[in-house]
Amino acid sequence: DAGVIQSPRHEVTEMGQEVTLRCKPISGHNSLFWYRQTMMRGLELLIYFNNNVPIDDSGMPEDRFSAKMPNASFSTLKIQPSEPRDSAVYFCASRSERTRANEKLFFGSGTQLSVL
Amino acid sequence: GQSLEQPSEVTAVEGAIVQINCTYQTSGFYGLSWYQQHDGGAPTFLSYNALDGLEETGRFSSFLSRSDSYGYLLLQELQMKDSASYFCAVRNDYKLSFGAGTTVTVRA
């Protein structure tokens, strides 16, 4: 398996622009997570999907952030409008809740977002 | 909510042993995980303890004491490639909450 695939790897945009981050989880994994990592706040959970349904979005910072999972193999995280304080590395991660090894979270390579 | 504490930095020489402690406060505790992250890379899973005791995986071992809300990661026979950040994380139902991370620097 190719692992969790995220795109783009790097994104540089100007304040006020819309940003869309993409994620393809590992095939067969039914849980998907979006995390944000910054020096100040570390790894923060933004949103959690189970079987394509958003279960917990309490970590989404504000209404400018939205996430979707239209099917089991694709998820997006959108920021509109983007602000400089959104600059961070955004990780997508997936896990299977159906196996005994369901404690293991697999992370994608991340998207380094810079908002100027 | 959850809170985790771990040292911010540890420096050691090649071949040495390093222990990274983690104390946590959480409700509905399922288990304690450890992840490794190299600079510019993604966190990768190292170990998981749901029950008290020591789990050994090669040069790395992880320990958990549920009654003390405490765990540690033991890195043995340190190698240069072990220079990375190490995160403890508590699982509470579906949610995995991470500590701030410990930067391990291995010197020749």
Side-chain angles (χ1 to χ4, degrees):
Chain A
D1 202 312
V4 177
I5 299 172
Q6 290 187 246
S7 64
R9 189 75 173 90
H10 301 275
E11 176 81 30
V12 181
T13 191
E14 292 187 349
M15 183 173 63
Q17 296 298 305
E18 177 179 297
V19 174
T20 300
L21 311 181
R22 296 172 176 78
C23 174
K24 176 178 168 55
I26 292 174
S27 177
H29 283 190
N30 58 336
S31 289
L32 184 139
F33 304 79
W34 282 98
Y35 281 87
R36 177 172 69 175
Q37 186 174 35
T38 61
M39 287 295 293
M40 290 295 294
R41 301 175 68 89
L43 271 162
E44 304 173 273
L45 177 64
L46 300 178
I47 188 167
Y48 160 64
F49 290 88
N50 183 259
N51 292 324
N52 313 338
V53 176
I55 302 299
D56 182 354
D57 65 355
S58 59
M60 296 286 261
E62 46 198 277
D63 291 346
R64 298 184 298 105
F65 285 69
S66 62
K68 294 182 180 180
M69 191 163 186
N71 57 60
S73 58
F74 185 64
S75 177
T76 59
L77 178 68
K78 185 177 293 186
I79 309 172
Q80 166 64 20
S82 58
E83 297 183 4
R85 60 191 166 127
D86 301 331
S87 297
V89 180
Y90 290 80
F91 287 104
C92 175
S94 71
R95 180 174 71 200
S96 171
E97 302 294 343
R98 302 189 190 100
T99 70
R100 293 180 62 187
N102 65 354
E103 71 277 5
K104 187 174 180 178
L105 202 55
F106 294 81
F107 283 81
S109 299
T111 295
Q112 173 78 61
L113 174 65
S114 297
V115 183
L116 306 176
Chain B
Q2 294 82 30
S3 71
L4 299 96
E5 287 192 20
Q6 55 181 125
S8 58
E9 295 181 10
V10 172
T11 299
V13 297
E14 271 187 300
I17 298 173
V18 161
Q19 178 172 317
I20 303 171
N21 298 321
C22 175
T23 57
Y24 59 87
Q25 287 186 323
T26 185
S27 56
F29 177 80
Y30 275 39
L32 185 71
S33 297
W34 290 91
Y35 284 76
Q36 178 192 59
Q37 185 180 30
H38 286 100
D39 248 3
T44 56
F45 174 85
L46 289 177
S47 67
Y48 176 73
N49 295 69
L51 303 174
D52 286 358
L54 189 69
E55 294 277 347
E56 297 180 75
T57 309
R59 295 186 295 113
F60 295 176
S61 304
S62 58
F63 172 83
L64 175 66
S65 170
R66 293 173 68 112
S67 60
D68 295 324
S69 297
Y70 163 77
Y72 66 73
L73 179 69
L74 194 69
L75 315 179
Q76 302 180 78
E77 300 171 21
L78 273 180
Q79 301 176 7
M80 298 298 288
K81 66 178 180 179
D82 298 330
S83 291
S85 292
Y86 294 83
F87 296 86
C88 59
V90 291
R91 177 153 179 189
N92 177 342
D93 192 4
Y94 56 82
K95 185 178 292 190
L96 197 62
S97 300
F98 288 83
T102 299
T103 300
V104 173
T105 303
V106 182
R107 298 196 187 281

